[in-house]
Amino acid sequence: MIYGMDVSFLDEIEHGGGRYYDEAGRERDLLELLKEKGGNAVRLRIWNDPAGGFCNLERTVPIAKRIKALGMAFLLDFHYSDKWADPANQWKPAAWEALSGAELEQAVYDYTAEVLAALAEAGALPDMVQVGNEVTPGMLWDNARVGVDEFDTDENWATFANLVKRGIEAVRAASPDIRIMIHIDRGGDNASSRKFFDRFEQLGVEFDVIGQSFYPWWHGTLGDLRDNLNDLAVRYGKPINVVETAYPWTLEEPEGYRWVMNGKEELLPLPEYPPSPQGQQRYLEDLIAIVREVPNGLGEGFYYWEPAWIPSQPTWSVGHPNNWANLTMFDFEGKVLSSFAALSGQPAK
């Protein structure tokens, strides 16, 4: 089973002097510590030309080499943007702003191929690639925007599918061994998940793995997640990863911080998991059990999103403060939390 961690902020944290510590207070390399705690896979996002340079190709290659040197699986997450690509933002890279049609498709192919060629040269090809991040509303807006109002047209869906196909084509050309994931953000929403993947099937998008985001304050209960994953496994017969998830270990907000989820009312769907290291561990234990029990062995694993984004500096290249440090698996000073025991099957105390 995949016990994955998305640590895309690692480069920026290390560059800014952030440090990590084990239970005994000893300074540790983050990736080595994650592996020691049971992690076996790492996910990195890649942006085309981001502000500050972090998460671009040049800075991704050294982190990828460290992942591979530790024998961990590597998932590369193409956003096809200069910044966040998510349900509210799927904006084109600035360099592609004037492109459309075949030119935009070629840009997707060429960029994907360029990234994978650089990683191959470094001996750090990913084991799996996401062609797009949380692409429920499409990608490369507005050309391939779908799902809402005037954008939800057959023409836009066809444009979207063709762009994804070109990305997939570039991955297959780089290595037939790299698996392709399509990632949406509907972990607790079966109707929307079916609508999306039915459409991709109809449009002939050929991929290997279904990825879902699941954050309980946005996406429902663990029961909703279970029902959705079970149905998708039977309906499509593909391996499934919960490729983004998290849960708070505290609701404390130090002065100057405002968390992305910051009120107890947002935890009401999951009152059995208090916002503590123990509650975080129990949440992960139950999520892991749900993934393990997906029919036909198709529950492949999960990735915790940014478990190590500690508040080690006041400003970040993404242009907003750290709003995630209560959802990490490290305390505010970078010391590992006991919730990692969920990866080794040790019960929460």
Side-chain angles (χ1 to χ4, degrees):
M1 182 170 176
I2 292 173
Y3 296 103
M5 304 282 153
D6 185 318
V7 294
S8 298
F9 274 112
L10 173 60
D11 180 29
E12 186 166 359
I13 290 166
E14 290 182 338
H15 183 78
R19 298 290 183 266
Y20 297 96
Y21 304 92
D22 62 19
E23 297 92 334
R26 294 170 297 206
E27 185 176 326
R28 299 291 302 276
D29 174 86
L30 175 65
L31 296 176
E32 292 178 0
L33 184 56
L34 293 180
K35 183 176 181 180
E36 180 181 296
K37 292 298 178 183
N40 57 18
V42 175
R43 178 184 190 238
L44 297 177
R45 64 178 169 268
I46 189 162
W47 287 328
N48 290 48
D49 187 19
F54 295 105
C55 296
N56 69 5
L57 174 56
E58 180 183 1
R59 300 195 71 95
T60 295
V61 170
I63 305 296
K65 290 174 68 175
R66 289 167 59 184
I67 294 166
K68 300 295 278 190
L70 287 169
M72 302 175 82
F74 172 31
L75 168 57
L76 183 64
D77 176 13
F78 281 92
H79 282 228
Y80 298 112
S81 184
D82 295 332
K83 53 191 175 183
W84 299 118
D86 55 41
N89 303 278
Q90 292 282 346
W91 302 108
K92 287 182 192 174
W96 298 359
E97 189 59 42
L99 302 182
S100 62
E103 288 184 331
L104 186 57
E105 291 176 17
Q106 191 64 42
V108 169
Y109 182 95
D110 290 345
Y111 175 69
T112 306
E114 175 192 358
V115 168
L116 294 176
L119 289 166
E121 185 176 358
L125 269 177
D127 302 280
M128 185 154 52
V129 161
Q130 284 181 224
V131 178
N133 185 74
E134 293 188 326
V135 294
T136 319
M139 62 193 292
L140 295 165
W141 286 355
D142 281 331
N143 299 72
R145 192 171 189 170
V146 300
V148 293
D149 303 330
E150 72 271 21
F151 298 107
D152 201 32
T153 64
D154 289 345
E155 180 181 0
N156 280 18
W157 272 98
T159 299
F160 176 28
N162 287 338
L163 289 166
V164 172
K165 287 176 184 178
R166 288 294 275 159
I168 290 172
E169 184 182 345
V171 178
R172 301 289 193 216
S175 170
D177 297 326
I178 300 174
R179 296 193 301 152
I180 308 292
M181 175 187 286
I182 300 298
H183 169 210
I184 66 172
D185 70 313
R186 291 293 185 267
D189 185 345
N190 184 241
S192 294
S193 297
R194 279 186 169 212
K195 176 184 176 182
F196 182 94
F197 288 111
D198 281 356
R199 199 70 179 258
F200 259 33
E201 275 199 341
Q202 293 161 8
L203 290 165
V205 180
E206 297 182 359
F207 63 99
D208 305 306
V209 180
I210 290 172
Q212 285 276 11
S213 294
F214 179 77
Y215 299 107
W217 55 94
W218 288 325
H219 299 138
T221 68
L222 283 170
D224 296 329
L225 175 68
R226 180 191 60 240
D227 293 345
N228 189 26
L229 299 188
N230 290 352
D231 178 75
L232 297 179
V234 172
R235 188 174 182 86
Y236 303 107
K238 295 182 185 294
I240 301 173
N241 283 253
V242 178
V243 76
E244 290 188 24
T245 195
Y247 199 80
W249 60 272
T250 183
L251 295 181
E252 174 192 350
E253 282 184 334
E255 185 176 354
Y257 287 91
R258 184 69 171 167
W259 306 138
V260 70
M261 61 78 50
N262 50 45
K264 290 184 180 179
E265 69 277 1
E266 293 172 298
L267 293 174
L268 287 178
L270 301 177
E272 62 271 41
Y273 308 109
S276 66
Q278 294 77 23
Q280 184 184 69
Q281 179 178 338
R282 292 188 186 111
Y283 168 81
L284 284 175
E285 289 168 348
D286 288 353
L287 182 140
I288 289 167
I290 286 168
V291 174
R292 284 188 184 279
E293 292 164 8
V294 169
N296 304 318
L298 292 172
E300 189 170 74
F302 80 99
Y303 289 79
Y304 198 104
W305 197 79
E306 294 292 357
W309 189 14
I310 57 174
S312 55
Q313 57 198 55
T315 60
W316 299 84
S317 63
V318 291
H320 61 77
N322 184 329
N323 57 8
W324 200 258
N326 71 322
L327 294 163
T328 60
M329 297 179 74
F330 292 81
D331 69 17
F332 297 146
E333 285 71 46
K335 187 175 182 180
V336 68
L337 297 177
S338 60
S339 50
F340 268 102
L343 277 60
S344 58
Q346 300 175 34
K349 297 179 180 178

